[in-house]
């Protein structure tokens, strides 16, 4: 409740943990209608040089000690920000202070099958267009790291399930705890 009250009062940043192909860009476009957000997909790029606090670099996720200061500094310029993880985060997401009164986090989840079938230029480049894939290309796609336990590998510190092995209950609990 404190975090949401602070957001409404302009004292907390709304942060989307954007897992690739989970509608984060669409959510960003909607959030830009409500207030300032970084130019490219609500993530920092060169167009945001003037608004981005000079004391902050672009690394993410933040550590527990960085969360408050970074959220406060960024809230002065933006109400909303996204961290996209199409790659594995360099710092485990559990290291962020998600309980900070200056940060409201949101994560959108897509139906797992729809997410698995969501394509981009990379998928089509390697596996062909969905309508014309051969059985062999479908199997290659099924084993592709971008579709095997994709979300869990981004949310959990030990990236459980990234090799396609059976997902353990402990792995699922780690993801839920975040």
């Amino acid at each position: 409740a404190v975090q949401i009250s602070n957001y409404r009062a302009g004292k907390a940043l709304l942060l989307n943990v954007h897992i690739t192909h989970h509608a984060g860009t669409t959510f960003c476009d909607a959030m830009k209608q409500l207030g300032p957000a970084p130019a490219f997909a609500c993530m920092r790029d060169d167009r945001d040089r003037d608004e981005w606090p000079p004391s902050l670099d672009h690394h993410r996720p933040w550590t527990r000690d960085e969360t408050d200061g970074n959220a406060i500094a960024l809230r002065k310029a933006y109400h909303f920000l996204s961290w996209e993880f199409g790659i594995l985060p360099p710092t485990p997401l559990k290291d962020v202070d998600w309980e900070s009164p200056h940060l409201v986090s949101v994560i959108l989840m897509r139906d797992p099958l729809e997410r698995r079938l969501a394509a981009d230029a990379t998928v089509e480049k390697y596996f062909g267009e969905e309508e014309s894939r051969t059985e062999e290309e479908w199997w290659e796609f099924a084993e592709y790291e971008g579709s095997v336990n994709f979300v869990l590998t981004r949310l959990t510190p030990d990236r459980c399930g990234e090799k396609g092995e059976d997902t353990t209950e402990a792995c699922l609990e780690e993801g839920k705890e975040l």
Side-chain angles (χ1 to χ4, degrees):
V2 172
Q3 293 167 310
I4 293 171
S5 294
N6 281 347
Y7 172 75
R8 289 179 176 157
K11 298 177 187 173
L13 179 70
L14 182 58
L15 174 68
N16 177 32
V17 178
H18 175 178
I19 307 298
T20 304
H21 298 305
H22 278 268
T25 305
T26 301
F27 185 52
C28 165
D29 291 342
M31 294 309 293
K32 284 181 179 180
Q33 305 290 319
L34 302 175
F40 175 71
C42 295
M43 299 179 287
R44 180 181 182 228
D45 76 356
D46 287 340
R47 292 172 279 187
D48 300 304
R49 260 192 310 260
D50 296 335
E51 292 86 9
W52 199 267
S55 61
L56 295 181
D57 63 17
H58 181 54
H59 83 279
R60 80 253 187 297
W62 303 322
T63 64
R64 182 164 300 283
D65 293 338
E66 296 170 324
T67 303
D68 264 349
N70 289 354
I72 291 167
L74 285 164
R75 183 59 170 110
K76 292 174 183 173
Y78 306 112
H79 84 106
F80 180 79
L81 180 72
S82 283
W83 287 343
E84 183 171 11
F85 295 107
I87 60 168
L88 298 174
T91 303
L93 287 168
K94 74 175 190 171
D95 289 357
V96 176
D97 182 5
W98 298 112
E99 302 301 319
S100 165
H102 304 288
L103 184 67
V104 177
S105 62
V106 63
I107 184 168
L108 303 178
M109 288 289 157
R110 202 171 187 173
D111 174 274
L113 187 56
E114 285 185 25
R115 192 286 166 210
R116 188 172 179 143
L117 296 175
D120 61 14
T122 302
V123 170
E124 289 185 358
K125 175 181 173 186
Y126 292 114
F127 308 109
E129 295 206 13
E130 188 175 323
E131 300 80 25
S132 60
R133 279 187 201 142
T134 65
E135 184 175 341
E136 181 180 342
E137 288 169 328
W138 275 111
W139 277 112
E140 289 172 2
F141 173 72
E143 294 169 355
Y144 169 57
E145 72 172 15
S147 65
V148 176
N149 289 326
F150 189 82
V151 175
L152 279 175
T153 63
R154 279 28 179 206
L155 296 179
T156 57
D158 63 358
R159 287 133 172 74
C160 55
E162 75 179 317
K163 302 291 186 219
E165 67 272 13
D166 289 342
T167 304
T168 65
E169 186 174 341
C171 175
L172 292 173
E173 290 302 322
E174 268 186 68
K176 285 176 17 182
E177 281 179 21
L178 183 64

